[in-house]
Amino acid sequence: MPALWRRCFSILFSSILVSSLLLSGGRTTLSAASDLPAAHSSSTIVRYEDAILQGYGVEKLAAPQDGDSLYDGEGYVSFFYDFDPASSQPDGTATFKVEAAAAGLYALSLGYYIPEGYGAKEAGIRVNGTDVGGITLDAPPASTVVHEKMVSKIALNAGTNEVTFTRGWGYYGIEYVRIEPAGLPFASSTIEAEDGLMSGEVSLGSAVEGFSGSGYAAFKSSGSLTLSYNAAERGLVELTIGYSAPYGDKKTQLTVNGQASEVSLPSTSSYAEATGGKVMMNKGTNTIRFDSGWGWYNIDYVKLSPASASNQHQVENKLVNANATVETKALMRYFVDHYGRNILSGQQTLEDAQWIKDQTGKYPAIFSTDLIDYSPSRVEHGAASTEVDKAIQWAKEGGIVALVWHWNAPAGLYDTAGKEWWRGFYTDSTSFDVQYALSHPDSEDYRLLLRDIDAIADQLKRLQDARVPVLWRPLHEAEGGWFWWGAKGPEPAKQLYRLMYDRLTNTHRLNNLIWVWNSESPDWYPGDDVVDMVSVDIYNPAGNYGPSIAKYDSLVNLVQDKKLVALPENGPIPDPEQLQTYAAHWLFFSTWTGDFIRDGKYNTMEHIQKVYSSDYVITRDELPDDLYTSFRYEAEKGTMTGLTVSTAGSGYSGDGYVTGFDEDGNTLAMTVNVPVSGRYTLSIRYKAQGDKTNPVLLNDETLADYVFKNSDAWTDGVVGEYELQAGNPTLRIGKSWGWIDVDFAELQYLGPILPKAVVSYSSANPTNQDVIAQLTANKPVTITNNGGSNRYVFKQNGSFTFTYIDADGHTGSVTATVTNIDKTPPSFSVTADRTVLQTPNHALVPINLQWTAHDADSGVAGVQLASVTSSEPDNGSGDGDKDQDIQDAKIGTADAQIKLRAERSGKGNGRVYTITYKAFDHAGNQTTASVLVTVPHGSKS
């Protein structure tokens, strides 16, 4: 929010502050400039008396201010005065001339004086005529009035430099400035091999001409060379090796501060350079050692130069919401990949974004807008908004969306002249007490807080449903106090932020938000567990295009360089060249609306053209088409076995590429983060010397023996499409045919795993039972027919189709067809070659049997003799007293011949033998058939 919008609040605040200053009381004593710290061996101090003053108001003083009894220093440059718009002179400045031994980045510290009760102050700074940005002078510790603070990094030229301070807020004094080197010098540092310690078969050589210095280290089959390097600060450097290898390709073992790697030295009879990759140098002494490796080569020198600063950041590609959508995770990965390499352009309001396109031919990458008119207390007054619709359309056109919420107070709007209802987000326009509301969760005010958050959740849900991730920056500028959410200090503001995070994330399941906190003060920071990115709003004076390095470094220190740092509101746009010079790695800027972008003063047209044409600035047309679906994994960040990182040539991404794959066992392993379970395309960017087939594995399971086609240019090769589960598997590229270079691997999200279902049921064997078909899916689905059941009972042969839908709305169907139900028994009949035994002569008579069985469904499985019975018992009365009347009847077999005795009782009506067979089919159905054989009573032997 620009300062102009806060003017009313600031005037009120200033009045209160002046009153409090006039009431300041007793003090204790503390020495100041007389006890000035001695300059470190690497630092330079310039005192107040050497400052050059210009303009009105500024002066050199020794006396304390406003009756202060604590100050007893020798003196200071006084900025204890108010801005005078009527003065014919410019506002006062103080210039300190400082000497720098070499061009580079330096840490600038100030010794300053602020009386008790005056609070923190802001000042402006210019270096050699160029605005650098604002600096913050913290209030000195309790009971003190002087303090030293490292306020900014500045870029100095070798020799004399001018560091100029402008008044800013005023009411402070500067006792001295201190500068000391902030990192490695801009120029490269070269260490000659002959200055190192040589051991074993390594000796000083000079026979091969063309070396630098006075000689080189000649390696044979064993030994080592050890070099020392004293670094001014800890930092990442590029290590380059000057060498010659007249006896063919060689490899050396390089160890830097205990971290070993193998470096290839391609064959060359003259002197050449090979990269040793990026290495971390500690502040102070560092050890660089070469062990012989393959031997028979020469090391001439080692050159160290500052590496790409982006690699020094410790930002992890991880969102605080583990359930973030795939689009949100993809955007976060893009941010992390580009942090420190580029700055993304941004603009508040779609109308101003279009104006930029009209002037420059390019849209900003980020469209920032406000949910202000979705606030319920504004809706109640007739406000309406289409900003969410604009944001959805912007994302469809390939851009990034950022949202802020000027939250109109839920209640207590004064709605009087100068404090109208539409100004209800200002502290001075509402009586709403956030501290009271939060400390009384049963109150109406607390309920209204939740009501408002829920109303905004509805709008954010529209964006989530449209698959739009959002840079979400609620409760911005809280520490200023001019908005009601910050009016009661840091604790209520942090509590409200955490309440909002919990309600939006856990109650409303909003997983499309990247949470941006907007303050550099540690006291106001709500915690790492609810913040993805930190930021501050900066409105430098018109035309001040400085990098605001002090603010940037303050944010980096706040989060220990573990989170992204952004500039979500600015007046003048930071100059891209200064951003790179100062390593002020703001992830993005977003210029405020109206005059701040269009008036030609805050940002001249020349400056806007420069920014939007800079290679360092990303515009919307430069965002990738797969911004919300791509996950890239740089090869050089993987684990290498027998491989090296190279920066030769151009066109690669990241900090280099992996080369080698020329020996058995050479392997590149990359841990890939699969953000959500889904379908992905895996591709690898590579170059190959001829067609090369190498294995590609995921968690040691082969995905493909992929053919890397011959290519001198970087080529994107699609390995295949795969269904992957969320997690962190290891992708490996091994060596088979070898000789490839790998830049990166990339997963392209295609969509969720589609539902697939199978129906299991018994179909292999005939059955005379009901068949139960059961559906099983690869993911949770809802059955949309069959009463929602995944079981269907077949009582007869036929087909049934299950239909289903998953949580993403994908539908499917699967059909079960049953043909093996057979509940009908076979048709069956039995005949015998003799059915009447006319002569009861007590003889055993063979009976031959035949049958006919048929089953049209499952077929006849078999026939068995079930039983042979007689209507009269053995040895019946008057039958001749013979037993075992039934013989050779093999029950349970397909016995087709039995013996029956021709015998009957003399007192009966004749004897009847019943021969019964059963036939059964393959389904288990069975039927019986019988034939009768009689011995008539009237027959005689």
Side-chain angles (χ1 to χ4, degrees):
M1 177 71 65
L4 184 62
W5 293 28
R6 303 192 294 263
R7 181 170 296 165
C8 292
F9 178 84
S10 300
I11 292 171
L12 175 63
F13 181 81
S14 299
S15 301
I16 295 171
L17 176 61
V18 171
S19 299
S20 68
L21 297 179
L22 294 174
L23 296 173
S24 57
R27 308 288 190 270
T28 57
T29 303
L30 177 72
S31 61
S34 59
D35 295 319
L36 192 68
H40 304 139
S41 61
S42 60
S43 69
T44 299
I45 289 179
V46 182
R47 301 173 186 271
Y48 81 98
E49 56 260 45
D50 296 322
I52 301 170
L53 308 186
Q54 291 182 310
Y56 73 87
V58 63
E59 56 185 329
K60 296 177 184 178
L61 299 177
Q65 294 287 323
D66 295 329
D68 171 33
S69 63
L70 291 176
Y71 185 74
D72 66 351
E74 295 179 354
Y76 54 90
V77 173
S78 169
F79 284 94
F80 288 90
Y81 67 92
D82 287 320
F83 174 65
D84 182 4
S87 175
S88 60
Q89 298 184 59
D91 201 355
T93 63
T95 299
F96 293 77
K97 291 192 175 183
V98 297
E99 298 291 326
L105 276 181
Y106 287 78
L108 171 67
S109 299
L110 289 189
Y112 57 90
Y113 165 45
I114 300 177
E116 247 188 346
Y118 277 42
K121 301 298 177 184
E122 293 267 336
I125 181 172
R126 291 198 297 267
V127 177
N128 295 325
T130 301
D131 287 309
V132 173
I135 58 173
T136 300
L137 304 179
D138 298 328
S143 301
T144 67
V145 294
V146 294
H147 189 57
E148 180 178 302
K149 177 186 177 184
M150 199 288 279
V151 294
S152 182
K153 287 184 294 193
I154 57 176
L156 299 181
N157 303 318
T160 302
N161 298 263
E162 292 186 350
V163 181
T164 301
F165 296 92
T166 58
R167 183 180 58 88
W169 292 1
Y171 287 90
Y172 61 88
I174 298 177
E175 291 188 313
Y176 61 89
V177 300
R178 180 202 298 275
I179 65 163
E180 53 191 333
L184 293 172
F186 288 165
S188 299
S189 299
T190 301
I191 310 170
E192 294 290 343
E194 60 268 27
D195 295 331
L197 177 64
M198 303 177 199
S199 67
E201 294 186 280
V202 179
S203 60
L204 181 62
S206 59
V208 181
E209 295 183 354
F211 55 84
S212 67
S214 60
Y216 54 84
F219 282 73
K220 293 184 180 178
S221 57
S222 65
S224 65
L225 166 67
T226 302
L227 305 170
S228 292
Y229 176 69
N230 189 53
E233 295 291 339
R234 185 175 187 271
L236 199 66
V237 301
E238 294 274 6
L239 190 148
T240 303
I241 304 163
Y243 76 99
S244 68
Y247 305 111
D249 292 343
K250 300 296 179 182
K251 290 191 177 183
T252 184
Q253 189 75 20
L254 171 65
T255 304
V256 179
N257 294 332
Q259 298 295 313
S261 62
E262 189 175 60
V263 177
S264 296
L265 304 175
S267 176
T268 174
S269 57
S270 59
Y271 286 89
E273 290 187 342
T275 179
K278 291 178 172 63
V279 295
M280 183 62 70
M281 289 288 153
N282 299 318
K283 183 176 181 179
T285 302
N286 297 265
T287 300
I288 304 168
R289 190 179 79 243
F290 294 90
D291 289 302
S292 183
W294 291 10
W296 302 99
Y297 54 84
N298 306 313
I299 299 294
D300 185 15
Y301 59 83
V302 168
K303 184 166 62 178
L304 303 174
S305 57
S308 170
S310 62
N311 293 289
Q312 299 183 43
H313 295 298
Q314 306 300 313
V315 177
E316 186 179 2
N317 175 36
K318 185 178 181 181
L319 291 160
V320 291
N321 179 3
N323 298 316
T325 65
V326 67
E327 294 82 9
T328 309
K329 290 180 177 179
L331 182 58
M332 183 65 173
R333 170 164 285 281
Y334 179 83
F335 287 157
V336 173
D337 287 347
H338 284 269
Y339 184 49
R341 304 180 192 281
N342 304 94
I343 188 169
L344 288 113
S345 55
Q347 180 58 48
Q348 189 78 19
T349 82
L350 188 59
E351 293 73 20
D352 284 328
Q354 182 61 52
W355 182 85
I356 290 173
K357 172 66 162 60
D358 295 341
Q359 308 307 312
T360 69
K362 294 185 176 184
Y363 283 113
I366 299 172
F367 160 46
S368 303
T369 190
D370 198 336
L371 298 185
I372 182 172
D373 281 329
Y374 295 102
S375 301
S377 67
R378 294 175 77 91
V379 173
E380 290 167 358
H381 284 82
S385 178
T386 59
E387 294 305 300
V388 169
D389 303 274
K390 296 176 185 177
I392 292 172
Q393 184 59 34
W394 180 267
K396 287 180 179 178
E397 293 170 0
I400 298 169
V401 172
L403 295 178
V404 68
W405 180 22
H406 283 92
W407 185 352
N408 233 53
L413 304 181
Y414 293 144
D415 200 13
T416 59
K419 299 179 181 181
E420 294 82 2
W421 62 265
W422 44 266
R423 293 175 51 85
F425 48 89
Y426 284 119
T427 300
D428 66 359
S429 297
T430 178
S431 62
F432 190 82
D433 187 330
V434 64
Q435 186 173 25
Y436 172 85
L438 291 169
S439 60
H440 294 81
D442 295 329
S443 68
E444 175 66 8
D445 284 355
Y446 185 86
R447 187 194 68 79
L448 290 174
L449 285 177
L450 298 185
R451 177 205 66 178
D452 285 15
I453 294 172
D454 293 347
I456 293 302
D458 291 341
Q459 302 306 319
L460 296 172
K461 181 66 162 55
R462 292 174 59 197
L463 289 152
Q464 178 166 278
D465 290 345
R467 297 191 172 278
V468 177
V470 173
L471 285 161
W472 173 234
R473 183 171 59 103
L475 309 187
H476 67 296
E477 299 178 9
E479 67 184 283
W482 42 75
F483 298 140
W484 63 262
W485 52 83
K488 298 297 181 178
E491 296 309 316
K494 291 188 289 186
Q495 185 180 351
L496 180 59
Y497 180 93
R498 296 186 72 91
L499 171 66
M500 183 185 295
Y501 178 88
D502 178 70
R503 193 157 185 89
L504 293 183
T505 304
N506 299 317
T507 300
H508 291 286
R509 306 295 181 190
L510 286 167
N511 299 319
N512 62 327
L513 307 180
I514 295 176
W515 288 80
V516 183
W517 178 246
N518 189 233
S519 168
E520 62 179 314
S521 170
D523 292 339
W524 290 75
Y525 186 59
D528 285 347
D529 60 323
V530 290
V531 173
D532 293 307
M533 188 182 302
V534 290
S535 68
V536 67
D537 299 345
I538 299 176
Y539 289 88
N540 286 331
N544 180 344
Y545 307 130
S548 298
I549 183 63
K551 297 288 187 184
Y552 173 80
D553 283 344
S554 176
L555 288 168
V556 170
N557 293 331
L558 174 68
V559 291
Q560 299 179 308
D561 199 23
K562 293 183 179 179
K563 293 186 183 289
L564 299 168
V565 175
L567 180 57
E569 286 186 33
N570 59 273
I573 304 170
D575 181 85
E577 293 176 4
Q578 289 197 52
L579 290 174
Q580 295 172 80
T581 298
Y582 281 85
H585 295 153
W586 301 103
L587 175 68
F588 67 87
F589 68 81
S590 184
T591 310
W592 197 250
T593 185
D595 286 348
F596 288 99
I597 189 64
R598 299 198 195 197
D599 74 350
K601 298 175 183 178
Y602 284 97
N603 292 283
T604 66
M605 182 54 64
E606 180 183 8
H607 180 64
I608 293 171
Q609 294 282 359
K610 175 183 178 181
V611 168
Y612 276 84
S613 63
S614 170
D615 290 339
Y616 187 69
V617 178
I618 296 175
T619 51
R620 195 177 81 174
D621 59 296
E622 295 170 311
L623 295 173
D625 293 338
D626 56 3
L627 174 64
Y628 297 131
T629 58
S630 173
F631 298 86
R632 182 176 294 182
Y633 308 94
E634 294 291 341
E636 69 273 15
K637 295 181 180 179
T639 301
M640 289 160 272
T641 303
L643 304 172
T644 59
V645 175
S646 176
T647 55
S650 61
Y652 56 84
S653 68
D655 301 315
Y657 57 92
V658 172
T659 187
F661 296 95
D662 55 349
E663 293 184 357
D664 290 341
N666 288 176
T667 306
L668 170 62
M670 293 176 281
T671 299
V672 296
N673 172 253
V674 180
V676 297
S677 298
R679 294 175 291 117
Y680 294 84
T681 296
L682 171 64
S683 61
I684 298 172
R685 176 165 287 184
Y686 70 92
K687 290 193 290 189
Q689 302 174 29
D691 290 357
K692 305 297 180 183
T693 302
N694 291 296
V696 179
L697 307 94
L698 193 70
N699 283 345
D700 296 325
E701 292 187 9
T702 300
L703 296 178
D705 286 320
Y706 184 70
V707 179
F708 294 83
K709 294 287 188 179
N710 178 50
S711 175
D712 293 330
W714 290 111
T715 301
D716 293 318
V718 177
V719 179
E721 182 181 323
Y722 304 97
E723 290 185 354
L724 303 177
Q725 298 299 316
N728 298 285
T730 299
L731 179 69
R732 295 183 189 276
I733 303 173
K735 184 266 179 186
S736 180
W737 291 14
W739 296 108
I740 60 172
D741 298 332
V742 177
D743 186 12
F744 60 78
E746 186 173 33
L747 289 176
Q748 184 81 348
Y749 180 73
L750 301 176
I753 294 175
L754 298 176
K756 299 175 186 174
V758 295
V759 181
S760 57
Y761 53 94
S762 175
S763 61
N765 299 312
T767 180
N768 59 3
Q769 304 297 312
D770 294 344
V771 171
I772 298 174
Q774 182 164 321
L775 179 145
T776 303
N778 63 337
K779 59 187 299 190
V781 296
T782 299
I783 309 299
T784 55
N785 62 352
N786 197 38
S789 174
N790 69 331
R791 291 164 55 93
Y792 181 81
V793 179
F794 284 91
K795 295 186 175 297
Q796 60 186 17
N797 292 329
S799 296
F800 180 77
T801 299
F802 290 93
T803 57
Y804 53 85
I805 188 170
D806 68 8
D808 298 309
H810 297 107
T811 59
S813 64
V814 62
T815 299
T817 299
V818 171
T819 61
N820 61 320
I821 295 177
D822 177 8
K823 296 184 177 181
T824 303
S827 60
F828 184 43
S829 62
V830 180
T831 61
D833 62 349
R834 296 187 182 199
T835 58
V836 177
L837 303 180
Q838 290 288 354
T839 304
N841 58 4
H842 308 287
L844 287 169
V845 179
I847 305 297
N848 295 304
L849 297 120
Q850 292 182 326
W851 52 79
T852 300
H854 177 71
D855 191 279
D857 295 323
S858 59
V860 177
V863 175
Q864 294 178 353
L865 178 61
S867 64
V868 182
T869 61
S870 170
S871 60
E872 295 180 352
D874 279 1
N875 295 320
S877 174
D879 67 359
D881 295 329
K882 299 287 186 177
D883 58 5
Q884 297 183 7
D885 296 341
I886 302 170
Q887 294 186 24
D888 294 344
K890 300 180 181 66
I891 304 300
T893 70
D895 188 3
Q897 186 180 73
I898 61 175
K899 294 179 179 178
L900 301 178
R901 193 177 298 280
E903 183 176 275
R904 47 99 178 125
S905 172
K907 298 180 178 180
N909 295 320
R911 190 174 198 174
V912 178
Y913 291 100
T914 303
I915 306 168
T916 301
Y917 283 82
K918 65 179 178 181
F920 48 90
D921 59 22
H922 289 284
N925 303 299
Q926 65 180 32
T927 186
T928 60
S930 300
V931 63
L932 304 179
V933 178
T934 61
V935 183
H937 182 267
S939 60
K940 296 182 182 288
S941 58

